[in-house]
Structure formats: structure tokens, C-alpha cells
Amino acid sequence: MSGTSSWEVVRGDPGPRLAGDALRLVGFTETPAGVLVRRELPSAVVPLIASWGAPYRVASPERPGEVVAPREGFVAGPGESWADTETTGPAACVQLNLTPTGAFRLLGGRPVCELADRAAGLGDLFGAEGTRLAERLGEAAGWEARFALVRDFAAARIAAAPPAAPGVLHALERLHAAGGGVDVAALAREVGWSRKHLAARFREQVGLAPKALARVLRFRRALRMLGEPAASLSAVALRCGYCDQAHMNRDFRAFAGTSPGAWLRGRAAAGPDAPAE
């Protein structure tokens, strides 16, 4: 990108009605000087992006040739690879980050695995209600009014949906607490299910099987550690439970399309003004 770019980031509060289902609420506008491309890495978060500016194009290597670019915004499901988002701006959005089980409830009990490694427009997922949300955001007077619209939209859908299965919630909590370092067979025994049943319920209510989610959580833990000053690649690999640094490198290429070293160099080159993840 060349020339002058600008952006604004405003943090909101998901509020008590979304406690346990939503993690973060943020509004942002950005006007890039040219084509702005970001690589979004896999995580255990499901973002809802409600947009009233220029659309974002979303493409994933898992779905070659498939590009999603709904003007009203989208929900991006969990996955085992990166996705690239692209806009020429000016773009304006509210982003609500949901837990996987929060996304399951937002979708009204629809299997989250239907969104694995893909994004779907708000209109496709929620019909006229999803399209109208984006329109109302564009008409709203200020960020607090926009945040209230998104909170109300998500809270109403979640309140009308069945809760996630207690066994899924327990297993998910254990995986998060251990950074993915939990034996899946032991996890299945803890909740009193077979491994096959645990995997099926996870795909339905989380979007990924437990083993796949564990790999993603380990990768995210490695990302955080690599962001620490003077982080050693070999030490991070050991602390995160990889067999060796080569094992960590393979996961980075699968999840980020690059090596840990290249990721660190790219992060440094982005500079202090790069938008936060």
C-alpha cells in the first residue's frame, strides 16, 4: 500500500446479556490508500462483522475460487487454515467476537461446522434481519448506538436458542485451560461420552473436532509467546507441547501459510500503527 491510510478503532462492551457467549465488541472504520489485505489466522473465536461501508472480500485456501463479499457483513466460522480479507475502503464495521458455542446459539442451533473454513453473509444466514442490521448501523448516530444494535441483535437470537451441551462446554473449558494440551480420549471419559460422540457434538456446537481445536489453541498459544521480547523459537515449541521446532513450523505453514520466523518478521515490518487483531 502507498499514500496515506487512516483508521479509527473504538472498543465497546458486549454486556451482561452476552456473558459467556461473546468475548469482544469493537467498532472500526478504515480508509486504505489502496487495496488493504489482511491475513486472518485460525482461532477459537467466531467473528460477526456487520458492515455498512465498502465490502470485505474473504477468501480461504481451503475453498479455492470461492470469494465471499457481502456488503452487509458476514460471520466467519472456525477453521484449520488462514483466510485473507481484502477491501479498498472506506470500510466501516462493528465486530462481535463470539465463543464457538455462542455462535452455535446465534445460529439458532445450526451446526457450526457448516461454517468451518468459510464465511457466510449476514443476509444468507439471517435473511432480511441480517441485511437490515447493517442498514441500521449506517443510520445510527454514533458508536454507542451501533454497539446497542449489535448487542440487541445477538442477544435476542441467543436468548431464543438452546444452550450448548454441558459436556461440550466442559471439554471446551478444559481445552482452553490447557492451551490444547489435553488427551482427547481422557476428555471423552471425563464427560462420559465415546470419542466418536464427543467429536460429533464438537463439530456441531464448536465447528471443529476436539483434536483439531486443540491444534488451533496450541498454535494461538505459540503466537502469543512469540510476541514476547526475545522469544526463542525452540523454547516456544517446547513450552507449547510441540515435539520439536520442526513440528511447530509445520503447524505454522498449515495455519498461517508461513514459518514462525517469517511471521515474526512480517509483524515487525507492520509497525506500531497496524490495527490490532
Side-chain angles (χ1 to χ4, degrees):
M1 244 173 36
S2 61
T4 302
S5 301
S6 63
W7 56 75
E8 176 188 23
V9 179
V10 181
R11 297 188 184 277
D13 181 0
R17 288 184 297 164
L18 295 176
D21 293 302
L23 303 168
R24 183 179 183 230
L25 181 64
V26 63
F28 58 93
T29 62
E30 51 191 358
T31 303
V35 178
L36 175 63
V37 180
R38 287 197 185 94
R39 177 147 296 183
E40 308 292 346
L41 306 183
S43 75
V45 169
V46 178
L48 180 154
I49 309 286
S51 170
W52 64 98
Y56 285 89
R57 293 165 51 89
V58 186
S60 166
E62 297 298 307
R63 296 176 181 272
E66 179 180 303
V67 177
V68 176
R71 182 167 292 276
E72 77 276 11
F74 57 89
V75 175
E80 297 181 73
S81 187
W82 73 90
D84 286 335
T85 63
E86 174 186 308
T87 188
T88 55
C93 305
V94 171
Q95 177 171 335
L96 178 66
N97 284 352
L98 297 152
T99 65
T101 51
F104 171 70
R105 300 186 71 195
L106 181 81
L107 295 170
R110 178 175 174 176
V112 184
C113 57
E114 293 181 5
L115 288 178
D117 282 305
R118 65 182 292 261
L122 299 188
D124 293 331
L125 291 172
F126 308 115
E129 185 184 3
T131 304
R132 181 59 183 146
L133 172 64
E135 293 172 352
R136 294 176 69 194
L137 289 172
E139 297 164 357
W143 286 113
E144 286 306 319
R146 294 173 187 135
F147 292 149
L149 286 170
V150 173
R151 279 194 298 262
D152 289 347
F153 173 84
R157 296 190 63 86
I158 285 172
V168 169
L169 292 171
H170 172 82
L172 194 56
E173 182 179 354
R174 290 273 284 114
L175 283 167
H176 273 285
V182 179
D183 179 71
V184 175
L187 203 54
R189 288 194 295 271
E190 281 185 29
V191 299
W193 292 343
S194 68
R195 288 188 61 170
K196 183 177 180 181
H197 185 67
L198 178 64
R201 298 305 296 272
F202 249 64
R203 290 190 187 96
E204 176 193 33
Q205 299 182 15
V206 176
L208 298 173
K211 186 174 181 180
L213 181 66
R215 287 184 66 215
V216 169
L217 291 173
R218 181 173 59 188
F219 166 72
R220 298 301 303 196
R221 184 183 180 202
L223 280 179
R224 290 192 297 272
M225 289 185 178
L226 287 172
E228 297 172 359
S232 158
L233 294 180
S234 58
V236 169
L238 181 64
R239 288 172 62 191
C240 290
Y242 289 102
C243 297
D244 50 29
Q245 187 178 327
H247 183 196
M248 183 172 73
N249 291 350
R250 289 194 295 274
D251 265 13
F252 261 77
R253 291 191 180 93
F255 291 144
T258 188
S259 67
W263 180 82
L264 282 171
R265 290 190 293 274
R267 176 174 174 165
D273 292 330
E277 180 184 13

